[in-house]
Amino acid sequence: MTRMNKTFTEQMVFMTVTLLIVKVLSALYRVPYQNILGDEGLYVYNQIYPFIGLCTICALYGIPSAYAEYLKRGFIFRRLHVSLFLCFIVVLSILIHMYRHILASWMGDDQLSSLIEIVAIIIPITIVLGMIRGIFHYHQYSEVVSISQLVEQIVRVIVIAIAIYLYFSIGLSLYSAAKVALFGSVLGMILTTFVLFMKYRHIKGEHYNIIHMNTKSSRYIEFFILMIAFILTHILMLTIQSIDAFTVLNFIGSHWTIDNTMAAKGVFDRSYSFIQIGLIVATTFGFILIPYLDATNISYSLKLLKKSIKWVMLFSTLVTVGLINIMPMMNQAFFKTNQMNSELSLNMITIIVVSIAIVLMSYLLTINAYKVVMSGFATMAVVKVFLNMLLLPIVDFYAISLANVMAMIIFNIILFIVLYKHIAAVIHDENMLDDSLSATETARLLTNKNEATIPNKMKKQDVLWGVNLFLVCFIMTLLLQAMLYIFSPIVTTRLDALILMSSMVLIGAAIVLVCIKLFELLTVEEATELPIIKKIIK
């Protein structure tokens, strides 16, 4: 690598803060959008947004990470091959544009065809932006990548605000307003690409020196495997939302009209805004965790993985329980209607199972378990589709939440099985290294290898930790529900709901802080591997 001016920790802190800001912006714009355009307006936007979001993730995580890894391994792209690849992408975009009406009909809403045009436009820009971000990522200019992400998000939010204003002032249709809002992603990517190209001039010579040193032949299959693997970690929720876009209208019970279904799905999609907030911790941990994991030091990596799972379990569980408790007031404070509280609350459990999957995927990718991650991901998607088709006619929108949780549980089981086999293989290898020792000495050494093994006493501590976490959640729920029972009858306006919700958040946070120390759920010593978290705990 070529840049050592900033320490790795400083760059990771900067990237983490930027990611938090971007996630919050991504979740908060939906509130005014739904308040003004209504549930049907949010439905129209969310039908296409998962595909735009997929392109955004490819440009931010998948392509840059894969290209940087590709350069690190000494491979290069030939100009002719790059040109041919870009031509293929342009042809794909043209085909999407030509057959947009067919795609819209598959989604159950012919009027979405004009919005699918945005997907066709954004695909080529995604490739170019991803490649240039990969150059900066390889040269350790991570703060440049982070700032470009923030600029892209700010432009997108500004254009969404313009779309809301045009709908309110000149009466744009819901579909036209959604098209303008989605175009914000295109404009954000274009401006970000232009800014990065201007910045690229400062490292152009540095980059050409690296390219000239790389002499290995291109392996495009390897590059695409790397890209897909890095993308999968960040598209779990987008995949779930994309499946919903194709299945809800087509498989909902016959007693639902199209208009009622669109409005109800717009209400249900509020839950994904809340889930994005709940996943901030897991996404940040997963993003930070990858560079810390070392494939050449398995014992250290397994020890860090155990700690990371514990941290993510703690924060995701507490956030989930907190969101479920404040859901009625949050729903009433932020949106026009106070509906589907039970369905939204049930979907919050998705935060826990997705958070665990993000951490497990991050680790497995460092040991090159690409096939397992991809096959498990595909299994999750198939199960999600099947459960949507099976349950939607029976339990309506509860089906989406149940399908989300059950599909992710199956995915986590697959990941845990692979992890268990990996740990068993590590222990076996260590046994082979110790075969020249006596039985007593080998047993003593294996007992002391806490990083790679899981002794019985640790299992008992884990069970006790889980019980303590349950007690903390129970205490928090008891107090928050008491507040809800006492004060909810006097809540008559959205401002009243906002005040009560804010009070519940503050009291819930205070309970969590006290109980984390009281029940010893997380200690400073356990955070020594990640200095960022250590500072937060202090």
Side-chain angles (χ1 to χ4, degrees):
M1 292 298 178
T2 59
R3 188 171 180 251
M4 300 298 293
N5 294 333
K6 287 192 174 184
T7 65
F8 181 78
T9 302
E10 288 174 337
Q11 293 191 36
M12 290 307 298
V13 169
F14 190 89
M15 294 174 68
T16 302
V17 173
T18 305
L19 182 62
L20 290 172
I21 296 172
V22 169
K23 285 288 185 180
V24 170
L25 286 174
S26 178
L28 292 183
Y29 79 85
R30 295 171 183 263
V31 176
Y33 194 93
Q34 183 164 23
N35 281 329
I36 296 176
L37 277 73
D39 296 327
E40 292 186 22
L42 188 60
Y43 153 80
V44 173
Y45 180 85
N46 280 334
Q47 286 295 92
I48 302 298
Y49 174 72
F51 308 107
I52 301 294
L54 177 60
C55 292
T56 302
I57 288 174
C58 288
L60 182 61
Y61 299 109
I63 298 175
S65 300
Y67 188 48
E69 181 69 18
Y70 200 71
L71 290 173
K72 189 175 70 175
R73 296 183 182 185
F75 297 108
I76 58 173
F77 279 127
R78 306 296 179 185
R79 289 185 178 181
L80 175 61
H81 297 161
V82 172
S83 300
L84 291 174
F85 177 67
L86 289 176
C87 289
F88 169 77
I89 294 299
V90 171
V91 170
L92 176 63
S93 297
I94 293 173
L95 290 174
I96 292 175
H97 173 76
M98 291 173 58
Y99 294 100
R100 63 189 185 279
H101 298 290
I102 296 176
L103 294 173
S105 65
W106 288 352
M107 297 176 71
D109 188 351
D110 293 335
Q111 295 186 74
L112 293 174
S113 61
S114 62
L115 278 69
I116 294 176
E117 292 179 341
I118 303 296
V119 180
I121 295 171
I122 205 172
I123 289 177
I125 306 171
T126 299
I127 303 300
V128 176
L129 178 58
M131 296 291 280
I132 191 170
R133 274 177 171 158
I135 293 172
F136 283 99
H137 187 50
Y138 172 77
H139 291 285
Q140 295 186 352
Y141 285 88
S142 52
E143 72 277 7
V144 175
V145 177
S146 300
I147 292 173
S148 73
Q149 180 188 10
L150 184 58
V151 169
E152 179 185 337
Q153 185 74 341
I154 290 173
V155 171
R156 176 167 163 258
V157 171
I158 290 173
V159 176
I160 290 174
I162 293 173
I164 295 172
Y165 173 77
L166 292 176
Y167 172 83
F168 182 76
S169 60
I170 66 175
L172 280 182
S173 68
L174 294 177
Y175 291 88
S176 297
K179 187 173 183 179
V180 174
L182 291 169
F183 185 75
S185 297
V186 177
L187 184 60
M189 280 192 176
I190 292 174
L191 292 177
T192 303
T193 303
F194 176 77
V195 171
L196 289 179
F197 266 118
M198 297 296 292
K199 183 69 176 177
Y200 173 71
R201 293 183 302 176
H202 300 290
I203 64 168
K204 187 175 181 180
E206 184 180 352
H207 184 60
Y208 274 120
N209 291 335
I210 295 297
I211 289 180
H212 289 316
M213 289 192 305
N214 289 357
T215 57
K216 295 183 181 179
S217 301
S218 301
R219 296 181 181 177
Y220 298 109
I221 294 179
E222 183 175 348
F223 172 76
F224 284 113
I225 290 175
L226 283 170
M227 183 178 68
I228 292 171
F230 282 114
I231 290 171
L232 292 182
T233 306
H234 300 277
I235 65 168
L236 289 169
M237 292 310 303
L238 282 176
T239 302
I240 287 172
Q241 290 178 264
S242 300
I243 293 171
D244 291 340
F246 280 99
T247 56
V248 171
L249 282 178
N250 292 315
F251 293 99
I252 195 71
S254 57
H255 57 284
W256 286 83
T257 65
I258 292 180
D259 291 340
N260 288 339
T261 303
M262 291 170 59
K265 188 174 185 298
V267 174
F268 185 84
D269 284 341
R270 300 173 187 174
S271 62
Y272 292 118
S273 301
F274 305 142
I275 288 174
Q276 287 297 331
I277 296 175
L279 289 176
I280 287 175
V281 172
T283 304
T284 305
F285 268 69
F287 195 63
I288 296 174
L289 185 62
I290 293 176
Y292 278 84
L293 296 175
D294 186 358
T296 63
N297 191 344
I298 301 298
S299 295
Y300 168 79
S301 296
L302 288 174
K303 182 178 180 181
L304 183 55
L305 174 65
K306 180 179 174 61
K307 291 177 181 291
S308 300
I309 292 176
K310 181 177 180 179
W311 290 327
V312 169
M313 275 291 296
L314 172 64
F315 291 118
S316 63
T317 302
L318 293 175
V319 169
T320 298
V321 174
L323 287 172
I324 291 174
N325 279 288
I326 68 173
M327 183 62 67
M329 292 300 104
M330 186 164 56
N331 206 5
Q332 185 174 344
F334 288 153
F335 301 100
K336 280 185 175 180
T337 57
N338 185 8
Q339 301 173 355
M340 302 177 71
N341 285 324
S342 299
E343 292 90 332
L344 299 180
S345 297
L346 180 60
N347 205 28
M348 293 301 102
I349 302 176
T350 306
I351 295 173
I352 300 175
V353 287
V354 171
S355 297
I356 296 172
I358 289 174
V359 176
L360 292 178
M361 292 170 72
S362 299
Y363 177 80
L364 292 176
L365 289 178
T366 64
I367 60 172
N368 297 324
Y370 301 123
K371 292 182 180 179
V372 174
V373 171
M374 292 179 187
S375 59
F377 190 93
T379 302
M380 179 274 296
V382 171
V383 172
K384 164 68 177 172
V385 172
F386 173 75
L387 291 176
N388 268 16
M389 295 169 59
L390 177 67
L391 297 177
L392 274 169
I394 302 173
V395 292
D396 300 332
F397 281 89
Y398 285 105
I400 302 177
S401 302
L402 291 172
N404 291 347
V405 175
M406 294 170 68
M408 286 306 307
I409 288 175
I410 292 174
F411 187 27
N412 280 319
I413 290 174
I414 294 173
L415 297 178
F416 268 115
I417 289 174
V418 176
L419 178 63
Y420 177 81
K421 291 181 178 179
H422 169 67
I423 294 174
V426 170
I427 296 174
H428 177 267
D429 291 342
E430 292 182 343
N431 284 337
M432 295 297 293
L433 291 175
D434 296 329
D435 58 0
S436 61
L437 301 176
S438 67
T440 303
E441 291 174 327
T442 301
R444 178 178 55 80
L445 288 174
L446 288 177
T447 302
N448 291 332
K449 288 176 180 176
N450 292 333
E451 296 89 349
T453 59
I454 309 176
N456 289 331
K457 63 178 181 178
M458 292 302 295
K459 291 183 180 180
K460 293 178 180 179
Q461 290 177 5
D462 293 340
V463 172
L464 179 61
W465 182 86
V467 172
N468 288 337
L469 179 59
F470 173 80
L471 290 175
V472 172
C473 293
F474 178 77
I475 294 170
M476 180 171 63
T477 299
L478 193 65
L479 293 177
L480 293 182
Q481 286 298 316
M483 289 183 64
L484 203 60
Y485 178 78
I486 295 170
F487 296 107
S488 60
I490 63 175
V491 173
T492 57
T493 65
R494 295 173 67 179
L495 180 60
D496 294 338
L498 180 62
I499 294 173
L500 179 55
M501 182 200 75
S502 302
S503 302
M504 294 174 70
V505 169
L506 292 175
I507 291 176
I511 294 171
V512 166
L513 291 175
V514 171
C515 289
I516 283 180
K517 188 171 184 179
L518 183 63
F519 288 88
E520 297 183 348
L521 293 177
L522 196 62
T523 65
V524 175
E525 290 74 19
E526 289 175 325
T528 54
E529 302 293 345
L530 291 178
I532 300 170
I533 305 302
K534 183 178 179 180
K535 291 179 181 179
I536 294 174
I537 294 175
K538 285 183 177 180

